Amino acid sequence: MEKTWRWFGKNDKITLSMLRQIGVEGIVTALHDVPNGEIWTREKIRDLREYIESYGMRWSVVESLPVCESIKYGGADRDALIENYKESLRNLSVEGIHTICYNFMPVLDWARTDLEHPNPDGTSNLYFSYSEFAYFDIYIVGREGAREEWASFKVPGMDIERDIIAEVDALREKMTPEMEHKLVENIIVRTQGFVSGNIREDDERPVELFRQLLSQYKGVTKDRLRENMRYFLSSIMPVCEECGMKMCVHPDDPPFPVLGLPRIVTSEDDIEWFLKAVDNPCNGLTFCAGSLSAGAHNNVVEMARRFASRTHFVHLRSCHIFDNGDFTEASHLGGRADLVELVRIFEKTDPSLPMRVDHGKTMLGDESRGYNAGYSFLGRMFAMGQVQGVLAAVRNELKCSEG
Ligand code: DNO
């Protein structure tokens, strides 16, 4: 697999010359300064591509070319936005970039409740707590019907009893305004702005804005969202075929419906559905082992075997699910995802497949550097070192079995 790294552009504190030194071959990035929905021009793409190439690497994958909310909920201007999307694809292809990661998650991209959850060894990790998430939903957003929904909540894929309402009420006893503020920052601000999300760090009233965004999805069921995804993919496929573009949707993170919003890339059945709905090799998957392993219903290794041939990009990380269903990001050599086996599967399928380590611990001073949540330098570099070792061993194993 090609060793790539997510880099956030020329303002990223982690520079391309640093990445060159740690064995990165390809860059995963986006035109982060272009507002969602606008066309990515050839000039801007070329400028960034040439900059990356001047450091001896290539621009391997776009992550992300964002799909606007209106395309997801089926708004009146969706056709115009899809035309812009096609134009951006054409421009990217002329500049030699052919792998495009995007997502189809309504409103919220990825979600965690704690971005600095302390580990016993002094490092910290990302963490998802159902009760804190429910607290945010019921008491901060105040979503209609939220309390009733959480009252009949079942942890996806786990056969356990969990009284979330009792937990939320206990949490309420000790919640301070500062803790509430932190929860808002963690769930809808700090994880979103830098991934071209809807809410940015300087938005003054993030919760109000968030409520408005949620209201756009009134009446959008799972089936409707699926139809909107099919519509989007069918519309862009002719351009993808003509230009050799590999589209790869990112699974929903976490892989279950949140805040009353449907989510449609959460499981084996979901993936099967969208691959068949638009059965074209240009319509593929970003195999994010981390997002998928956060759902107890997913057997990540089996899924990799099943979908490897339609996978165009791989995110390597792994989650650990606690007995109550909460999850955290495990070591890249531990957790539920079995990265060793995944590397074996993908390296065998296509040795040129781009892969990047995803997220990383915050460690050894990362915490004071102001990196984007989940995107530390030393923690990711440590993970990258582990994955490079696994890759070398797997390559050797494959060579021996051939010879
Ligand atoms: C989070 C990322 C996601 C991903 C998008 C792709 O760390 O994996 O934000 O980039 O969902 O569109």
Side-chain angles (χ1 to χ4, degrees):
M1 283 188 275
E2 183 190 22
K3 292 172 250 175
T4 69
W5 181 279
R6 189 173 197 186
W7 173 74
F8 294 102
K10 293 179 186 170
N11 296 330
D12 195 327
K13 295 187 184 90
I14 302 163
T15 63
L16 293 179
S17 53
M18 288 159 79
L19 297 182
R20 193 73 204 287
Q21 292 181 40
I22 61 169
V24 172
E25 297 160 342
I27 292 297
V28 174
T29 193
L31 296 183
H32 288 284
D33 57 328
V34 178
N36 289 359
E38 283 184 18
I39 294 173
W40 288 18
T41 62
R42 269 195 71 179
E43 295 64 36
K44 284 203 158 214
I45 298 167
R46 187 185 312 126
D47 176 69
L48 195 59
R49 176 179 64 69
E50 286 176 351
Y51 183 75
I52 293 168
E53 286 170 359
S54 74
Y55 284 87
M57 291 173 283
R58 70 175 198 119
W59 184 351
S60 309
V61 179
V62 168
E63 179 173 353
S64 306
L65 183 56
V67 176
C68 293
E69 294 300 326
S70 165
I71 297 178
K72 294 177 186 169
Y73 65 75
D77 56 348
R78 75 167 159 180
D79 288 331
L81 290 165
I82 291 176
E83 284 312 309
N84 285 1
Y85 203 95
K86 289 188 198 163
E87 199 52 31
S88 299
L89 288 177
R90 285 190 195 99
N91 291 343
L92 282 161
S93 100
V94 179
E95 291 302 321
I97 300 148
H98 292 106
T99 306
I100 315 293
C101 172
Y102 68 100
N103 74 71
F104 220 81
M105 289 176 251
V107 183
L108 199 59
D109 189 317
W110 61 299
R112 296 290 183 279
T113 52
D114 191 351
L115 309 178
E116 289 123 12
H117 193 77
N119 294 316
D121 62 6
T123 61
S124 71
N125 262 355
L126 305 170
Y127 189 96
F128 185 91
S129 145
Y130 281 99
S131 52
E132 289 185 0
F133 197 77
Y135 183 94
F136 167 77
D137 192 7
I138 298 171
Y139 289 117
I140 300 180
V141 179
R143 188 172 60 85
E144 208 188 310
R147 200 176 169 91
E148 293 69 32
E149 276 174 34
W150 283 105
S152 55
F153 167 81
K154 288 259 169 289
V155 178
M158 286 175 84
D159 194 15
I160 52 168
E161 293 297 323
R162 189 163 176 187
D163 187 345
I164 293 284
I165 296 294
E167 290 180 35
V168 167
D169 288 343
L171 207 53
R172 197 164 193 214
E173 300 285 305
K174 56 174 200 210
M175 200 48 96
T176 61
E178 293 71 35
M179 286 159 78
E180 283 203 353
H181 176 75
K182 181 112 192 170
L183 211 47
V184 170
E185 290 282 302
N186 289 348
I187 298 176
I188 60 173
V189 181
R190 286 183 53 206
T191 48
Q192 301 299 301
F194 74 93
V195 292
S196 307
N198 292 303
I199 308 227
R200 313 199 80 88
E201 301 249 342
D202 52 2
D203 283 325
E204 278 176 14
R205 297 209 175 102
V207 177
E208 243 164 69
L209 181 58
F210 192 71
R211 285 192 197 109
Q212 280 166 24
L213 289 158
L214 286 181
S215 70
Q216 295 175 321
Y217 281 84
K218 265 219 158 91
V220 179
T221 57
K222 175 171 179 177
D223 285 346
R224 178 85 183 278
L225 189 64
R226 277 186 163 181
E227 280 319 306
N228 294 346
M229 186 181 187
R230 188 209 297 268
Y231 184 89
F232 165 69
L233 286 170
S234 315
S235 315
I236 63 168
M237 275 305 120
V239 174
C240 293
E241 283 193 306
E242 184 190 305
C243 302
M245 299 312 259
K246 295 184 207 155
M247 297 300 297
C248 38
V249 73
H250 189 283
D252 304 335
D253 180 8
F256 39 79
V258 291
L259 302 156
L261 298 164
R263 286 191 147 190
I264 56 172
V265 193
T266 65
S267 63
E268 197 158 338
D269 286 352
D270 280 351
I271 296 173
E272 182 75 25
W273 178 85
F274 88 84
L275 291 177
K276 282 209 173 119
V278 179
D279 198 5
N280 184 318
C282 300
N283 171 28
L285 177 68
T286 294
F287 196 96
C288 177
S291 306
L292 295 170
S293 62
H297 53 287
N298 287 327
N299 179 327
V300 183
V301 168
E302 257 173 34
M303 292 170 88
R305 286 203 186 99
R306 182 151 178 205
F307 300 121
S309 64
R310 291 282 286 270
T311 295
H312 300 317
F313 181 32
V314 179
H315 283 182
L316 291 177
R317 84 182 153 85
S318 182
C319 282
H320 170 75
I321 304 181
F322 295 95
D323 290 346
N324 70 353
D326 287 357
F327 68 86
T328 188
E329 316 235 354
S331 145
H332 285 66
L333 296 181
R336 299 186 68 243
D338 193 352
L339 298 196
V340 175
E341 188 56 24
L342 295 185
V343 168
R344 212 175 261 133
I345 295 167
F346 289 117
E347 180 69 14
K348 234 188 214 166
T349 309
D350 177 5
S352 68
L353 199 60
M355 111 2 223
R356 71 168 177 86
V357 295
D358 194 17
H359 301 171
K361 297 181 193 198
T362 300
M363 63 197 290
L364 301 171
D366 279 333
E367 54 282 3
S368 57
R369 301 301 302 271
Y371 296 130
N372 292 330
Y375 291 90
S376 61
F377 180 58
L378 295 174
R380 265 193 300 163
M381 180 173 87
F382 182 69
M384 175 81 173
Q386 292 176 314
V387 166
Q388 286 188 8
V390 171
L391 187 56
V394 165
R395 281 179 178 159
N396 190 271
E397 191 180 280
L398 293 175
K399 209 164 77 194
C400 293
S401 68
E402 276 161 18

